[in-house]
Amino acid sequence: MKRIILLHCFFLVVFSALAQNYKAFSPFYNETVKGDMLMVGNTVLNPNSDPNQAYTGSHGDNSQIDLKFTNIAPATGVFNSSSANVANPNVNASCLKVKAAYLYWSAAYTQERVNNQTNPKFERSKFKNIKLKTPNASSYTDLVGDLVYDGNDVLSSRPNSDNSQRAYVYKKDVTNILKTEAAARAGRFDGTYTIANLMAPKGYEGSGVGYAAGWTLVIVYEDLSKPSRYITLFDGFSAVNQNNNPTIPISGFKTVPTGPVRAKVGFAALEGELGISGDQLTMKKRNTWGYEALSAPGRPANNFFNSTITDENGINYHRRPASKNLLGFDAGVFELANSGKTFLDNNDTSTSFR
């Protein structure tokens, strides 16, 4: 039975209001904002006979199952698509402002798919290409992403096999696209965001390693009615399994100098599966060498990566298809339980996860 977690981005929001680490997690965005951060996302894989219908089944992992492409917003040249809704974060605010927005997409795949997949062909040269449709747009915008992780490394224990597991991650700064969207709508950026042509494996995977794919949209926004928050975004790539549990250091944020330290943590990951329990996200406790398992609404401490999209309230079904089980793709944001300064103290600038 496989158990591998491929973690590709972390986001940390600090409230001032009071496996192997293949690529180290490093900050690329830091800003104090009167506002907040939100995340949405979805997968483009589904085993249903009609893949555009939500999958609610209990298949425990993403291997030995026939995965099809969802395509909820077809257009000429579009072979897969899925969407997620961004809720208006403050219906009473007179003016919201997009400060930053980043789109991530990723997949876990095998060389066998590169060799044999057709309609469409699974091509490494197109990993970087994706399409985005914003709520006010009538058509897709073609994007070319920036590499986060090169997908040609073998991650599973079959170095000479076409069924070895690999993965890739790309991202794109879409801040200006969302600012244009908001400018046309008096500052509003809520609504349905649709992603298309995410290069992903599909079909029946019989070797046991599994396929997975999905996307995540991260939005940092200004809302002057909210308190100030110091928001830091990181990305990198770590592979974690029961035999390889690397420490993942995170540094470059900062907490408030005095008073309560309240924080949110966001993340995206591949290969966390509903039916394989025992996986955890642990965080270093301050002033000790120890780590403590985290839990969040919709994410139990002993199966934290469970193929769901979650927010602070639990599973976020405001997407299409609204599948409960995403068969190996996870993304979420949650409030860190830090009331006793268990994990973060005043003036902290670093921590680590496992």
Side-chain angles (χ1 to χ4, degrees), residues 38 84-91 96 98 134-136 178 181-182 185-193 219:
L38 58 83
N85 291 339
V86 171
N88 189 333
N90 187 349
V91 296
L96 302 175
V98 174
T134 60
N136 201 42
L178 267 69
E181 170 79 18
R185 300 171 55 207
R188 291 184 59 179
F189 55 87
D190 55 305
T192 300
Y193 288 80
I219 303 173

Side-chain angles (χ1 to χ4, degrees), residues 307-338:
S307 294
T308 58
I309 302 284
T310 57
D311 57 24
E312 295 93 327
N313 300 311
I315 296 177
N316 182 354
Y317 290 106
H318 299 293
R319 47 193 162 82
R320 184 177 174 210
S323 299
K324 180 179 181 180
N325 181 355
L326 278 70
L327 292 164
F329 181 72
D330 279 276
V333 61
F334 61 95
E335 302 276 0
L336 182 67
N338 194 55

Side-chain angles (χ1 to χ4, degrees), residues 19-20 239-248 280 282 353-354:
Q20 177 178 350
V240 181
N241 59 38
Q242 61 265 52
N243 300 314
N244 180 26
N245 183 24
T247 297
I248 302 170
Q280 296 181 326
T282 67
F353 294 89
R354 286 179 182 168

Side-chain angles (χ1 to χ4, degrees), residues 49-270:
S49 56
D50 178 357
N52 290 336
Q53 296 298 310
Y55 176 63
T56 58
S58 59
H59 192 87
D61 63 73
N62 56 3
S63 66
Q64 299 176 330
I65 191 170
D66 186 18
L67 291 170
K68 307 171 186 66
F69 281 159
T70 67
N71 199 354
I72 58 94
T76 301
V78 169
F79 54 80
N80 66 31
S81 61
S82 64
S83 67
N85 291 339
V86 171
N88 189 333
N90 187 349
V91 296
N92 297 315
S94 59
C95 185
L96 302 175
K97 182 184 295 184
V98 174
K99 299 293 288 182
Y102 295 89
L103 177 66
Y104 285 83
W105 60 99
S106 59
Y109 67 96
T110 62
Q111 180 64 34
E112 186 279 331
R113 289 290 80 193
V114 177
N115 297 342
N116 299 316
Q117 182 167 306
T118 59
N119 193 29
K121 184 174 174 58
F122 188 67
E123 299 177 81
R124 283 197 178 92
S125 63
K126 295 183 179 178
F127 288 174
K128 64 182 180 294
N129 301 117
I130 206 163
K131 293 176 179 285
L132 167 67
K133 184 189 291 184
T134 60
N136 201 42
S138 59
S139 60
Y140 288 102
T141 297
D142 291 314
L143 304 177
V144 178
D146 301 314
L147 180 68
V148 174
Y149 174 72
D150 183 350
N152 204 21
D153 288 332
V154 174
L155 302 172
S156 58
S157 57
R158 302 174 182 177
N160 299 313
S161 170
D162 284 347
N163 290 320
S164 299
Q165 192 168 53
R166 294 164 166 84
Y168 77 82
V169 184
Y170 276 84
K171 76 173 179 184
K172 182 67 175 180
D173 184 340
V174 293
T175 305
N176 288 337
I177 294 175
L178 267 69
K179 283 185 175 180
T180 299
E181 170 79 18
R185 300 171 55 207
R188 291 184 59 179
F189 55 87
D190 55 305
T192 300
Y193 288 80
T194 305
I195 300 301
N197 285 14
L198 193 164
M199 187 53 65
K202 65 172 183 172
Y204 182 79
E205 197 291 303
S207 73
V209 301
Y211 307 143
W215 57 272
T216 308
L217 177 63
V218 184
I219 303 173
V220 179
Y221 65 92
E222 181 181 83
D223 176 354
L224 297 180
S225 70
K226 288 184 175 290
S228 295
R229 293 164 166 85
Y230 189 80
I231 300 178
T232 309
L233 308 181
F234 308 77
D235 55 37
F237 189 91
S238 293
V240 181
N241 59 38
Q242 61 265 52
N243 300 314
N244 180 26
N245 183 24
T247 297
I248 302 170
I250 302 290
S251 62
F253 61 89
K254 60 182 178 183
T255 63
V256 291
T258 60
V261 178
R262 299 194 291 266
K264 286 183 183 179
V265 178
F267 68 93
L270 293 161

Side-chain angles (χ1 to χ4, degrees), residues 256-287:
V256 291
T258 60
V261 178
R262 299 194 291 266
K264 286 183 183 179
V265 178
F267 68 93
L270 293 161
E271 286 299 328
E273 292 150 326
L274 175 66
I276 304 179
S277 62
D279 57 80
Q280 296 181 326
L281 178 65
T282 67
M283 187 172 180
K284 187 179 184 299
K285 299 173 71 174
R286 65 182 183 90
N287 299 325

